[in-house]
DNA sequence: GATGAATGAGTGTTCATTCAT
DNA sequence: AATGAATGAACACTCATTCAT
């Protein structure tokens, strides 16, 4: 097996199998939730034997990790800031629309399946330390780091007023996360207004609640 | 057993037992999580037999519901707004400090046990429909309703700028909820700054991010 | 408590309570079966506390025994042969109608509740030795003994052809019992023809199947 | 696994396992009864793990059904009437001995283990609807149907006197069933005379009880 | 690599029975 | 005698994981 061609082909096959299994797992988890889903369910959905799954994932939790990873990749491709000429050079006016676009993006990722996989992930992350740490290291922290850089520059250029950048970022992402959790809880107002929320949130964050009356 | 004195005593005893079991359940759930905890664990911790638990709660989930209820009661007593002469008459200056006090209160309830019971509750609420609905009906909706009334009045009196009150409320509570979830994920910045957050959040929400420079 | 009047009253009360509980047990057993019925079910139906039942019956099985006993008493009163001037003096013609009446009687006792309590009794008798022995001693054997006396006399008087009386009796009662069991199994033919069966059985037993053609 | 040879082997293995488990279940049920027997008991007796049983039977009741099925197969092989040149052509004399042989056969099947498995089956059939229906559909009704055909022919050929064939069949099978139940109850007379019963029963059914004296 | 039969630890829940009041 | 809260043993069934083929 020193043949580099064969090796490449092998990797392709392995990646394909992994993908096939993760697809199945995502569907079943979204439908039944994590604990109620059995490996048999996933194997049947993927059209493989139970044991085969263990050739690609060490255990049931690893499937969730795999799903998380894929979501992350997909997401990073989607939000590839480098498309923008220079994100750090946005003006005040552009900033508002950039902000809104970003918020809208985040609020719609999980909307696709009505937050069914989001529910499962959050639920398990709350309670499973390994998953939580992987999530933080691979997704949360890199995102935060990157955001800090931009916000720092914006603050220096007075696009934003001076403020604690790290807390600001955490507040904004927390706001989005919290709204998604509230949506999942079954809040009808959020359900009705989900489409208008990005604009609303952007205004709230940029302008605040305070009356500007004399 | 038609004796009203005896009946009252009975009720006391029953309430006491319930409390004793819920205390135990809270401790064990906080330590081990929901699923990993067995009824036997709780029974042992409460110093009763397994079966006794089922004389007071129909099943394991009902224990979580019971915990939720108690938190709610405790919380309602704590945030009894009626202490204030008239909450709807607060001036702009008072509003900021009122807001901050409220946010601080919310952010500290679950901090007491380092969010251990919060984790378990959120995790299970995400995934257990019955629990989710009870939570929404008994806690979320009443709170939202009450908040709407006040915010409406404040908006009318121009303490706040005109805005969609219902979305505003959901944004604020979502922000707090989201920050707690992020904290639970292990965010170190939030851990360090948790005490300063209420002030920060209040300013952010009232004043916004926008640079006020010309 | 040496007062004989009071004692008698006591006994009346006790008998009443027993009866009340047995009534309840019969109803519930007939509806849900033996094992699926809980003492709580019976207590509720009887309008007493769980513990009270144990003041009158040593355990759940004893309730079944009690039901059996009552059926027996009721039955013996009903089939009190002594009403007949002299059962052993019946002629051939009378014998056929007596036989038929007896068979009809046996086949209808349990029909009243569509064999629901019969099912439960037979099921448990098959499997519970104590119940089985009680049933044999208190019901089966006395009945067999009595029947033997009469059949012996009838055989001697040539109302019947000479035959092994004990086996004959067991065959006849077995036939009735077996038909009831088959009915319970859900045999539709038996269901439709149950009313005509006593006559049919009587003819079969008395005349046999053999063609009387030359 | 599309290899037909391997598939056949698989089926052999599966059938063998099923058999092994049913053997064990039969032994344990016969000894302890149905309810007192635990899956663990059966697993231990069969030399497999608890869970393995559930790879072959959906639940505990299915084991009883399996036992019933096997008895049925065994029985059908044993009573393969086709051995006889033509069962419907039997003469009057042959009929008596055929009848006796059949009755003897039926009365001895369950005698092998002293009716221990019979007890358990009857007890559970009385009380478990699914089992009862399966028993009726798979065993009772086919047997009855077949018997009706033959009895009809015999009646037409005057081997038997004209009579209601369906009731006759039910009476005969009821008689055998009833005697087995009485035996199980502990009747000593039946125990002593069990061997002579087939002849006795045959005579009773064919000739009746009636005195043939003038 | 793929299979899927075998494993057996693990647990929520029930309920007959007891007994202090 | 009546009560009904407390008990705790008992059990069917599930399912993640392993491993021989």
């Amino acid at each position: 097996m020193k043949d580099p061609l064969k090796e490449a082909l092998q990797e392709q096959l392995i990646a394909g199998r992994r993908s096939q299994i993760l697809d199945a797992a995502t569907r079943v988890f979204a439908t039944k939730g994590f604990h109620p889903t059995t490996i048999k369910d996933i194997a049947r959905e993927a059209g493989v034997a139970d044991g085969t799954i263990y050739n690609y994932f060490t255990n049931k939790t690893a499937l969730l990790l795999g799903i998380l990873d894929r979501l992350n990749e997909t997401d990073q491709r989607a939000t590839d800031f480098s498309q923008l000429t220079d994100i750090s050079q946005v003006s005040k006016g552009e900033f508002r629309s950039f902000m809104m676009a970003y918020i809208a993006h985040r609020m719609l990722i999980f909307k696709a399946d009505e937050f069914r996989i989001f529910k499962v992930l959050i639920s398990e992350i709350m309670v499973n330390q390994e998953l939580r740490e992987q999530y933080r290291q691979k997704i949360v922290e890199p995102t935060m780091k990157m955001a800090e850089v931009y916000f720092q520059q914006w603050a220096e250029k007075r696009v934003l007023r001076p403020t604690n950048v790290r807390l600001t970022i955490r507040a904004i992402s927390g706001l989005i996360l919290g709204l998604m959790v509230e949506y999942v809880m079954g809040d009808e107002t959020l359900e009705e207004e989900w489409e208008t929320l990005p604009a609303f949130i952007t205004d709230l964050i940029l302008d605040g609640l305070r009356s500007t009356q004399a």
Side-chain angles (χ1 to χ4, degrees), chain A:
Chain A
M1 185 65 82
K2 286 274 171 66
D3 184 342
L5 231 71
K6 265 195 181 168
E7 258 179 54
L9 190 65
Q10 273 299 317
E11 269 179 46
Q12 285 292 318
L13 284 173
I14 289 178
R17 258 298 200 248
R18 272 186 65 93
S19 210
Q20 167 192 9
I21 292 169
L22 281 183
D23 287 344
T26 307
R27 282 195 297 274
V28 190
F29 284 153
T31 309
K32 306 181 60 170
F34 182 70
H35 279 117
T37 293
T38 69
I39 291 290
K40 220 176 208 66
D41 290 332
I42 298 170
R44 205 173 307 146
E45 176 80 17
V48 300
D50 298 17
T52 303
I53 291 178
Y54 287 86
N55 289 334
Y56 297 89
F57 299 91
T58 50
N59 55 33
K60 212 177 150 188
T61 296
L63 287 163
L64 223 43
L65 269 171
I67 291 173
L68 215 50
D69 276 349
R70 279 212 314 194
L71 279 172
N72 192 32
E73 288 164 24
T74 314
D75 192 41
Q76 278 182 333
R77 239 173 290 132
T79 56
D80 191 356
F81 292 119
S82 60
Q83 311 170 18
L84 296 175
T85 43
D86 186 349
I87 196 178
S88 64
Q89 295 302 330
V90 295
S91 70
K92 287 187 188 177
E94 288 165 341
F95 178 67
R96 185 177 295 261
S97 57
F98 170 78
M99 185 86 163
M100 202 176 102
Y102 181 73
I103 291 175
H105 169 72
R106 295 239 68 96
M107 296 190 79
L108 289 173
I109 302 173
F110 287 107
K111 185 70 162 51
D113 74 341
E114 277 301 314
F115 297 96
R116 278 193 297 220
I117 202 68
F118 172 79
K119 263 190 227 178
V120 174
L121 284 170
I122 289 290
S123 173
E124 213 47 30
I125 284 173
M126 287 289 100
V127 132
N128 179 324
Q129 205 194 342
E130 191 198 349
L131 199 61
R132 191 160 59 234
E133 273 169 13
Q134 295 268 348
Y135 177 60
R136 210 182 64 221
Q137 284 168 28
K138 293 204 203 153
I139 303 187
V140 179
E141 285 181 357
T143 309
M144 293 284 182
K145 285 261 158 51
M146 204 181 63
E148 279 173 32
V149 174
Y150 289 116
F151 271 72
Q152 199 60 51
Q153 293 177 322
W154 293 326
E156 281 160 14
K157 286 172 187 156
R158 302 297 183 208
V159 177
L160 310 175
R161 67 171 164 82
T163 182
N164 182 327
V165 164
R166 304 174 81 180
L167 290 187
T168 301
I169 289 163
R170 278 150 184 86
I172 295 173
S173 56
L175 175 46
I176 298 169
L177 176 59
L179 284 166
M180 297 202 297
V181 173
E182 288 184 335
Y183 180 102
V184 160
M185 304 285 202
D187 188 291
E188 291 182 0
T189 302
L190 289 178
E191 208 171 326
E192 287 161 17
E193 309 268 16
W194 199 252
E195 309 297 325
T196 73
L197 263 175
F200 178 84
I201 298 296
T202 308
D203 290 349
L204 176 62
I205 287 175
L206 290 183
D207 305 332
L209 269 184
R210 197 171 38 130
S211 166
T212 48
Q213 277 193 330

